[in-house]
Amino acid sequence: MSKENKRQLLWSLLGDLPERQSQITIKKINEEEKEEYFLEELLMNTFGNTWVPAYFTRPKKVKGKLPAVLFNHSHGGNYQLGKNELIKSSDYLQKPSFAEELSRMGYAVLCLDMWGFGERRGKSESEIFKEMLWKGQVMWGMMIYDNVRALDYLSTREDIDRSKIATLGMSMGGLMAWWLAALDERISVCIDISAQVEAHSLIRCRGLDHHGLYSYVPKLLKYFQTSDIQALIAPRPHLSLVGNHDRLTPAQGLDIIDETLSITYDQLGWQDNWKMLRYECGHIETAGMRSELCSFLQEHL
């Protein structure tokens, strides 16, 4: 089966999704100047009457068309945090925040509030999941849809170099990074932190309840292994940073993903574009991880 057919099959598992309109409407609510960047507070109309709150940062010291990073916030039960993770960081991410770090490197950054987080609170994650399920929707599919529309928006900005868009995130955000990169080739570089969940290993380890409802896709394992999805990213650069003691990403699953993707990239002649680095830690971003991802971005974006 061709990559395009695999993508179509993967999309078909993500439930009834809204049609993508040709244009995306944006409202700028506020703009303020920070030490390293300008912060735009936006509302993004993804479909119908749905407006998604977002932050967009652009570095103060760089002019012209900018490379961009679509940053995906984590979960961690921090429903109040949402997109604020971009500018405030979190307990398990390094400091400075990614807004500061990436601005210093010359990147623009976009981050959305996912369903149930930040300014989109009001319904619990389980309530959203159940309501969508009744309506034929898959919560994870709707979350991915929002980020595809975010890419649509980045493509309309005159200050963005469309050929240089990366995506990164930790935990739920990292899961979003590799799913989005697999489904949308506009992503040039993918970086995920603590997000390599090999489904069968997780089942064998009795670890399903370590993860929230949001990412479970009906019938997925009838057609795809985790590495099958990520193989759709190849040969684009993909860095995965993981902890050997992270119970959310069982170690035997990391072995399977690394071995399979190493073979995939090697067969395509781009073996240096896949890299999994393992650290003696749990479900956190370490200083070593931060250093490595910055170097990877500089090299490939």
Short mmCIF file of all heavy atoms in Angstrom, two decimals, residues 8-39:
data_model
loop_
_atom_site.label_atom_id
_atom_site.label_comp_id
_atom_site.label_asym_id
_atom_site.label_seq_id
_atom_site.Cartn_x
_atom_site.Cartn_y
_atom_site.Cartn_z
N GLN A 8 -4.71 7.94 3.89
CA GLN A 8 -6.16 7.98 3.73
C GLN A 8 -6.84 7.00 4.68
O GLN A 8 -7.88 7.32 5.28
CB GLN A 8 -6.53 7.67 2.28
CG GLN A 8 -6.16 8.78 1.31
CD GLN A 8 -6.46 8.42 -0.14
OE1 GLN A 8 -7.01 7.35 -0.44
NE2 GLN A 8 -6.09 9.30 -1.06
N LEU A 9 -6.27 5.81 4.83
CA LEU A 9 -6.82 4.83 5.77
C LEU A 9 -6.74 5.36 7.20
O LEU A 9 -7.70 5.25 7.98
CB LEU A 9 -6.06 3.51 5.64
CG LEU A 9 -6.44 2.40 6.64
CD1 LEU A 9 -7.93 2.06 6.56
CD2 LEU A 9 -5.59 1.16 6.40
N LEU A 10 -5.61 5.96 7.54
CA LEU A 10 -5.43 6.50 8.89
C LEU A 10 -6.45 7.62 9.16
O LEU A 10 -7.08 7.66 10.22
CB LEU A 10 -4.00 7.02 9.05
CG LEU A 10 -3.51 7.31 10.48
CD1 LEU A 10 -3.64 6.08 11.37
CD2 LEU A 10 -2.04 7.77 10.43
N TRP A 11 -6.63 8.50 8.19
CA TRP A 11 -7.65 9.56 8.34
C TRP A 11 -9.03 8.96 8.54
O TRP A 11 -9.84 9.46 9.33
CB TRP A 11 -7.65 10.46 7.12
CG TRP A 11 -6.66 11.58 7.12
CD1 TRP A 11 -5.61 11.78 6.27
CD2 TRP A 11 -6.64 12.70 8.02
NE1 TRP A 11 -4.93 12.93 6.58
CE2 TRP A 11 -5.54 13.52 7.65
CE3 TRP A 11 -7.43 13.09 9.11
CZ2 TRP A 11 -5.22 14.70 8.32
CZ3 TRP A 11 -7.11 14.27 9.78
CH2 TRP A 11 -6.02 15.06 9.39
N SER A 12 -9.33 7.87 7.83
CA SER A 12 -10.67 7.28 7.89
C SER A 12 -10.99 6.74 9.28
O SER A 12 -12.16 6.58 9.63
CB SER A 12 -10.80 6.16 6.86
OG SER A 12 -10.08 4.99 7.24
N LEU A 13 -9.96 6.44 10.08
CA LEU A 13 -10.17 5.93 11.43
C LEU A 13 -10.43 7.04 12.45
O LEU A 13 -10.80 6.75 13.59
CB LEU A 13 -8.94 5.12 11.88
CG LEU A 13 -8.58 3.89 11.03
CD1 LEU A 13 -7.30 3.26 11.54
CD2 LEU A 13 -9.72 2.88 11.03
N LEU A 14 -10.27 8.29 12.02
CA LEU A 14 -10.32 9.42 12.95
C LEU A 14 -11.70 10.05 13.05
O LEU A 14 -11.85 11.19 13.52
CB LEU A 14 -9.27 10.47 12.56
CG LEU A 14 -7.82 10.00 12.73
CD1 LEU A 14 -6.85 11.07 12.22
CD2 LEU A 14 -7.52 9.66 14.19
N GLY A 15 -12.72 9.32 12.63
CA GLY A 15 -14.10 9.78 12.84
C GLY A 15 -14.56 10.80 11.82
O GLY A 15 -13.86 11.11 10.85
N ASP A 16 -15.76 11.30 12.04
CA ASP A 16 -16.36 12.29 11.14
C ASP A 16 -15.74 13.66 11.45
O ASP A 16 -16.00 14.24 12.50
CB ASP A 16 -17.87 12.36 11.34
CG ASP A 16 -18.56 11.05 10.96
OD1 ASP A 16 -17.95 10.27 10.20
OD2 ASP A 16 -19.68 10.81 11.43
N LEU A 17 -14.95 14.15 10.51
CA LEU A 17 -14.25 15.42 10.70
C LEU A 17 -14.91 16.52 9.89
O LEU A 17 -15.49 16.25 8.83
CB LEU A 17 -12.78 15.29 10.28
CG LEU A 17 -11.95 14.29 11.09
CD1 LEU A 17 -10.58 14.10 10.46
CD2 LEU A 17 -11.82 14.75 12.53
N PRO A 18 -14.84 17.76 10.35
CA PRO A 18 -15.41 18.87 9.57
C PRO A 18 -14.68 19.03 8.24
O PRO A 18 -13.50 18.67 8.10
CB PRO A 18 -15.15 20.10 10.46
CG PRO A 18 -14.87 19.54 11.82
CD PRO A 18 -14.24 18.21 11.62
N GLU A 19 -15.36 19.57 7.26
CA GLU A 19 -14.71 19.88 6.00
C GLU A 19 -13.77 21.06 6.20
O GLU A 19 -14.07 22.00 6.93
CB GLU A 19 -15.74 20.23 4.92
CG GLU A 19 -16.57 19.05 4.46
CD GLU A 19 -17.45 19.38 3.28
OE1 GLU A 19 -17.22 20.44 2.65
OE2 GLU A 19 -18.36 18.60 2.98
N ARG A 20 -12.61 20.98 5.54
CA ARG A 20 -11.66 22.09 5.63
C ARG A 20 -12.02 23.15 4.60
O ARG A 20 -12.00 22.91 3.40
CB ARG A 20 -10.24 21.60 5.38
CG ARG A 20 -9.62 20.89 6.56
CD ARG A 20 -8.31 20.23 6.19
NE ARG A 20 -7.32 21.18 5.72
CZ ARG A 20 -6.18 20.83 5.12
NH1 ARG A 20 -5.93 19.55 4.91
NH2 ARG A 20 -5.31 21.74 4.74
N GLN A 21 -12.38 24.32 5.10
CA GLN A 21 -12.67 25.43 4.21
C GLN A 21 -11.38 25.98 3.65
O GLN A 21 -10.31 25.81 4.21
CB GLN A 21 -13.44 26.51 4.97
CG GLN A 21 -14.75 26.01 5.57
CD GLN A 21 -15.37 27.01 6.54
OE1 GLN A 21 -14.73 27.97 6.92
NE2 GLN A 21 -16.59 26.75 6.94
N SER A 22 -11.47 26.65 2.51
CA SER A 22 -10.27 27.13 1.84
C SER A 22 -9.56 28.23 2.63
O SER A 22 -8.35 28.36 2.59
CB SER A 22 -10.60 27.65 0.44
OG SER A 22 -11.59 28.67 0.51
N GLN A 23 -10.32 29.02 3.36
CA GLN A 23 -9.73 30.11 4.12
C GLN A 23 -9.99 29.91 5.61
O GLN A 23 -10.95 29.27 6.00
CB GLN A 23 -10.31 31.46 3.68
CG GLN A 23 -9.92 31.85 2.26
CD GLN A 23 -10.40 33.25 1.91
OE1 GLN A 23 -11.36 33.75 2.48
NE2 GLN A 23 -9.73 33.86 0.96
N ILE A 24 -9.08 30.46 6.39
CA ILE A 24 -9.23 30.39 7.83
C ILE A 24 -9.29 31.80 8.38
O ILE A 24 -8.51 32.67 7.99
CB ILE A 24 -8.08 29.57 8.46
CG1 ILE A 24 -8.34 29.35 9.95
CG2 ILE A 24 -6.72 30.18 8.22
CD1 ILE A 24 -7.49 28.24 10.55
N THR A 25 -10.25 32.05 9.25
CA THR A 25 -10.46 33.38 9.80
C THR A 25 -9.76 33.51 11.14
O THR A 25 -9.84 32.63 11.99
CB THR A 25 -11.97 33.67 9.98
OG1 THR A 25 -12.62 33.48 8.73
CG2 THR A 25 -12.19 35.09 10.47
N ILE A 26 -9.05 34.62 11.31
CA ILE A 26 -8.30 34.87 12.53
C ILE A 26 -8.70 36.21 13.13
O ILE A 26 -8.89 37.20 12.42
CB ILE A 26 -6.78 34.89 12.24
CG1 ILE A 26 -6.30 33.51 11.82
CG2 ILE A 26 -5.99 35.37 13.47
CD1 ILE A 26 -6.30 32.46 12.91
N LYS A 27 -8.87 36.24 14.44
CA LYS A 27 -9.05 37.48 15.17
C LYS A 27 -7.85 37.68 16.10
O LYS A 27 -7.53 36.78 16.88
CB LYS A 27 -10.33 37.46 16.01
CG LYS A 27 -11.62 37.38 15.21
CD LYS A 27 -12.82 37.32 16.15
CE LYS A 27 -14.13 37.20 15.38
NZ LYS A 27 -15.30 37.09 16.32
N LYS A 28 -7.21 38.83 16.00
CA LYS A 28 -6.13 39.13 16.93
C LYS A 28 -6.73 39.86 18.12
O LYS A 28 -7.26 40.96 17.99
CB LYS A 28 -5.04 39.98 16.28
CG LYS A 28 -3.85 40.22 17.22
CD LYS A 28 -2.87 41.24 16.67
CE LYS A 28 -2.06 40.66 15.52
NZ LYS A 28 -0.94 41.59 15.14
N ILE A 29 -6.64 39.24 19.30
CA ILE A 29 -7.23 39.79 20.51
C ILE A 29 -6.30 40.80 21.17
O ILE A 29 -6.73 41.84 21.68
CB ILE A 29 -7.56 38.66 21.51
CG1 ILE A 29 -8.46 37.61 20.86
CG2 ILE A 29 -8.22 39.22 22.77
CD1 ILE A 29 -9.77 38.15 20.35
N ASN A 30 -4.99 40.48 21.13
CA ASN A 30 -4.04 41.34 21.83
C ASN A 30 -2.65 41.06 21.30
O ASN A 30 -2.38 39.99 20.74
CB ASN A 30 -4.10 41.06 23.34
CG ASN A 30 -3.25 42.02 24.15
OD1 ASN A 30 -3.25 43.22 23.88
ND2 ASN A 30 -2.52 41.52 25.13
N GLU A 31 -1.76 42.02 21.45
CA GLU A 31 -0.35 41.82 21.15
C GLU A 31 0.48 42.55 22.20
O GLU A 31 0.17 43.70 22.53
CB GLU A 31 0.01 42.32 19.76
CG GLU A 31 1.49 42.10 19.41
CD GLU A 31 1.83 42.39 17.95
OE1 GLU A 31 0.91 42.42 17.12
OE2 GLU A 31 3.03 42.57 17.66
N GLU A 32 1.49 41.87 22.71
CA GLU A 32 2.35 42.52 23.69
C GLU A 32 3.79 42.16 23.44
O GLU A 32 4.11 41.14 22.81
CB GLU A 32 1.94 42.16 25.12
CG GLU A 32 1.92 40.69 25.45
CD GLU A 32 1.44 40.44 26.88
OE1 GLU A 32 2.16 40.82 27.82
OE2 GLU A 32 0.35 39.85 27.03
N GLU A 33 4.67 43.01 23.94
CA GLU A 33 6.10 42.84 23.74
C GLU A 33 6.73 42.20 24.97
O GLU A 33 6.57 42.68 26.09
CB GLU A 33 6.75 44.19 23.46
CG GLU A 33 8.23 44.12 23.15
CD GLU A 33 8.81 45.47 22.77
OE1 GLU A 33 8.02 46.41 22.53
OE2 GLU A 33 10.05 45.58 22.73
N LYS A 34 7.42 41.09 24.75
CA LYS A 34 8.18 40.42 25.80
C LYS A 34 9.67 40.69 25.57
O LYS A 34 10.06 41.35 24.61
CB LYS A 34 7.90 38.92 25.78
CG LYS A 34 6.43 38.54 25.95
CD LYS A 34 5.92 38.81 27.34
CE LYS A 34 4.53 38.27 27.54
NZ LYS A 34 4.02 38.50 28.92
N GLU A 35 10.49 40.15 26.45
CA GLU A 35 11.92 40.42 26.34
C GLU A 35 12.52 39.86 25.05
O GLU A 35 13.33 40.52 24.39
CB GLU A 35 12.66 39.81 27.54
CG GLU A 35 14.15 40.12 27.55
CD GLU A 35 14.86 39.60 28.78
OE1 GLU A 35 14.16 39.12 29.71
OE2 GLU A 35 16.10 39.65 28.82
N GLU A 36 12.10 38.64 24.67
CA GLU A 36 12.69 37.97 23.51
C GLU A 36 11.78 37.96 22.28
O GLU A 36 12.25 37.68 21.18
CB GLU A 36 13.03 36.52 23.86
CG GLU A 36 14.03 36.36 24.99
CD GLU A 36 15.44 36.74 24.57
OE1 GLU A 36 15.70 36.83 23.36
OE2 GLU A 36 16.27 36.93 25.48
N TYR A 37 10.49 38.27 22.47
CA TYR A 37 9.55 38.06 21.37
C TYR A 37 8.32 38.95 21.51
O TYR A 37 8.06 39.54 22.57
CB TYR A 37 9.12 36.60 21.32
CG TYR A 37 8.52 36.08 22.62
CD1 TYR A 37 7.16 36.20 22.89
CD2 TYR A 37 9.32 35.44 23.57
CE1 TYR A 37 6.62 35.72 24.08
CE2 TYR A 37 8.79 34.96 24.76
CZ TYR A 37 7.43 35.10 25.01
OH TYR A 37 6.90 34.63 26.18
N PHE A 38 7.58 39.03 20.41
CA PHE A 38 6.25 39.62 20.43
C PHE A 38 5.24 38.48 20.57
O PHE A 38 5.34 37.46 19.89
CB PHE A 38 5.98 40.40 19.14
CG PHE A 38 6.86 41.60 18.97
CD1 PHE A 38 7.96 41.56 18.13
CD2 PHE A 38 6.59 42.78 19.66
CE1 PHE A 38 8.78 42.66 17.97
CE2 PHE A 38 7.41 43.89 19.50
CZ PHE A 38 8.51 43.84 18.66
N LEU A 39 4.26 38.67 21.44
CA LEU A 39 3.25 37.65 21.69
C LEU A 39 1.91 38.13 21.16
O LEU A 39 1.38 39.16 21.57
CB LEU A 39 3.13 37.38 23.19
CG LEU A 39 1.99 36.46 23.64
CD1 LEU A 39 2.17 35.05 23.08
CD2 LEU A 39 1.90 36.42 25.17
#
